[in-house]
Amino acid sequence: MAHLELRGVHKSYGPVHIIHGVDLDIRDGEFVVFVGPSGCGKSTLLRMIAGLEAISAGEVRIDGQVVNDTPAADRGLAMVFQSYALYPHMSVRQNMAFALENMGLPQAEIDKRVARAAAMLRLGDYLERKPKALSGGQRQRVAIGRAIVRDPKIFLFDEPLSNLDAELRVATRKELAALHAEIGGTMVYVTHDQVEAMTLADRIVVLQAGRIEQVGAPLELYNRPANQFVAGFIGSPKMNFFTGAVTQADGAGVTLRLGDRHAVSLPYGAAALPANLGVTLGVRPEHLEVVETGPADIEALITLAEHLGGDTFFTCEAEGLPPITVHQPGQLMRGRGEMLRLRIDAAAAHLFDRDGRILLHGRDALASQAQARAAH
Ligand code: ADP
Ligand code: MG
């Protein structure tokens, strides 16, 4: 196990600047997930840690030692890729043992390590099979087993589940979580899938265009996204964003005009927002409540209803606003063409400025208002 530090890490390919100064500390035993859209530089960053790409500027340190010029093979890391890259002519056992034989470990030690990894990954019955006689999930488990037997200081994973079908992806994801709980190694895991990030990570690093947007525990990112990019990336379905402006703000609350004709009042009294400030209100689909009676913030027409049994999803439209996604737990028997009256959960909404910077999180604004009231 090891502690990993990135200090001002840059990467350029000729004149093209890909990674723009990444600073990050990964603790011993931590499971850190790099997440971000395709092309944002996740693999490049991981490959620089691995020693498969040169570092253009900055430092990578493992246990305090700068490893910029240390060859990949001497960094004590093991990497698992999306393509399993198993040796097709070798059995599962041979695939797992190969690196250990090259290291010159005694046979008894090799057998012990392979048996332990096979037991952990439930590969015991497949040790004599060739990769072509395995399912995709089993092959990926062999690739993970090949990393485990080397007892690396740090595990690096680059989208290891992307080639698996949906069901296997979920099963293998759970196995990875269990594996981390069992062996406790330092793990850095790249994915573009925010559900994988949320379920596996101790901390998530959200990247965009070669820069870190936010680092935090999964629920920190969900509850307090630092900006509109993170707010839109974390959470599924995606957060709704309504652009508008502040029409009134005083001790009682904030009134926003959304689109051309919707007015919404939110009890964010302690937030000192100037009138006419351009804002974007962010509300997750699960924080729009369908109400039958009482005041509603938005009335919207259902254009698509998706009844999954356990959950109901609506896509709605309201004049002057982008399509609205609503997520209701359970079964709500409404369909296309009907109106929904929606109430915004003020404690779970977010306000951003027009550049996507956070102005306030509803939960904090409500807490401040309650504090201010209590002080009177
Ligand atoms: P991700 O893994 O997040 O999808 P990558 O790290 O693979 O993204 O790529 C980041 C950016 O770097 C992309 O724009 C990609 O085109 C570019 N890139 C990656 N490798 C090279 C290379 N060898 N030469 C030039 N550009 C590259
Ligand atoms: Mg990649």
Side-chain angles (χ1 to χ4, degrees), residues 99-180:
L100 306 184
E101 284 163 1
N102 284 348
M103 286 157 63
L105 287 192
Q107 192 59 45
E109 176 67 17
I110 294 176
D111 291 345
K112 195 177 101 194
R113 291 194 190 188
V114 169
R116 178 166 171 266
M120 247 187 246
L121 295 162
R122 294 185 293 108
L123 286 168
D125 293 342
Y126 307 102
L127 281 171
E128 307 316 324
R129 285 203 199 170
K130 299 271 171 66
K132 68 173 187 305
L134 299 175
S135 70
Q138 290 165 340
R139 283 180 208 165
Q140 193 51 288
R141 295 215 298 274
V142 177
I144 294 166
R146 215 168 36 171
I148 292 173
V149 293
R150 293 171 56 191
D151 196 14
K153 285 198 272 194
I154 302 176
F155 288 88
L156 306 175
F157 295 95
D158 194 350
E159 310 230 14
L161 309 185
S162 295
N163 280 351
L164 307 181
D165 65 40
E167 196 176 329
L168 262 177
R169 211 156 57 216
V170 173
T172 313
R173 189 181 85 205
K174 289 182 177 170
E175 275 167 9
L176 267 175
L179 186 74
H180 182 247

Side-chain angles (χ1 to χ4, degrees), residues 13 18 37-44:
Y13 291 105
I18 303 286
S38 185
C40 70
K42 305 179 294 294
S43 295
T44 304

Side-chain angles (χ1 to χ4, degrees), residues 94 143 250 281 309 347 350:
Q94 289 166 329
D250 56 30
L281 176 68
H350 311 266

Side-chain angles (χ1 to χ4, degrees), residues 83-327:
S83 58
Y84 330 114
L86 300 178
Y87 299 110
H89 57 289
M90 291 186 191
S91 67
V92 168
R93 179 195 302 283
Q94 289 166 329
N95 264 286
M96 289 209 267
F98 188 66
L100 306 184
E101 284 163 1
N102 284 348
M103 286 157 63
L105 287 192
Q107 192 59 45
E109 176 67 17
I110 294 176
D111 291 345
K112 195 177 101 194
R113 291 194 190 188
V114 169
R116 178 166 171 266
M120 247 187 246
L121 295 162
R122 294 185 293 108
L123 286 168
D125 293 342
Y126 307 102
L127 281 171
E128 307 316 324
R129 285 203 199 170
K130 299 271 171 66
K132 68 173 187 305
L134 299 175
S135 70
Q138 290 165 340
R139 283 180 208 165
Q140 193 51 288
R141 295 215 298 274
V142 177
I144 294 166
R146 215 168 36 171
I148 292 173
V149 293
R150 293 171 56 191
D151 196 14
K153 285 198 272 194
I154 302 176
F155 288 88
L156 306 175
F157 295 95
D158 194 350
E159 310 230 14
L161 309 185
S162 295
N163 280 351
L164 307 181
D165 65 40
E167 196 176 329
L168 262 177
R169 211 156 57 216
V170 173
T172 313
R173 189 181 85 205
K174 289 182 177 170
E175 275 167 9
L176 267 175
L179 186 74
H180 182 247
E182 188 171 339
I183 63 180
T186 307
M187 298 189 172
V188 187
Y189 185 105
V190 163
T191 180
H192 62 273
D193 180 331
Q194 61 91 27
V195 175
E196 272 176 34
M198 291 297 282
T199 51
L200 285 171
D202 293 317
R203 283 190 306 155
I204 296 176
V205 178
V206 182
L207 292 160
Q208 183 189 204
R211 289 191 170 82
I212 293 183
E213 293 284 347
Q214 190 171 6
V215 181
L219 291 182
E220 274 170 45
L221 268 52
Y222 178 92
N223 290 331
R224 291 190 175 78
N227 54 50
Q228 198 177 332
F229 177 81
V230 175
F233 198 81
I234 299 291
S236 177
K238 196 173 143 70
M239 188 183 284
N240 295 291
F241 294 115
F242 306 115
T243 53
V246 174
T247 49
Q248 198 195 332
D250 56 30
V254 176
T255 304
L256 306 177
R257 176 179 44 73
L258 302 181
D260 300 327
R261 40 180 300 159
H262 301 271
V264 171
S265 290
L266 298 162
Y268 303 153
L273 298 175
N276 296 321
L277 178 70
V279 295
T280 300
L281 176 68
V283 189
R284 297 190 187 281
E286 56 272 37
H287 299 139
L288 283 170
E289 188 196 354
V290 176
V291 292
E292 306 298 340
T293 56
D297 293 306
I298 300 173
E299 297 198 20
L301 180 72
I302 300 173
T303 56
L304 179 68
E306 297 171 299
H307 301 281
L308 271 64
D311 298 275
T312 308
F313 295 91
F314 297 105
T315 307
C316 309
E317 61 183 31
E319 197 183 327
L321 298 182
I324 304 170
T325 312
V326 180
H327 174 193

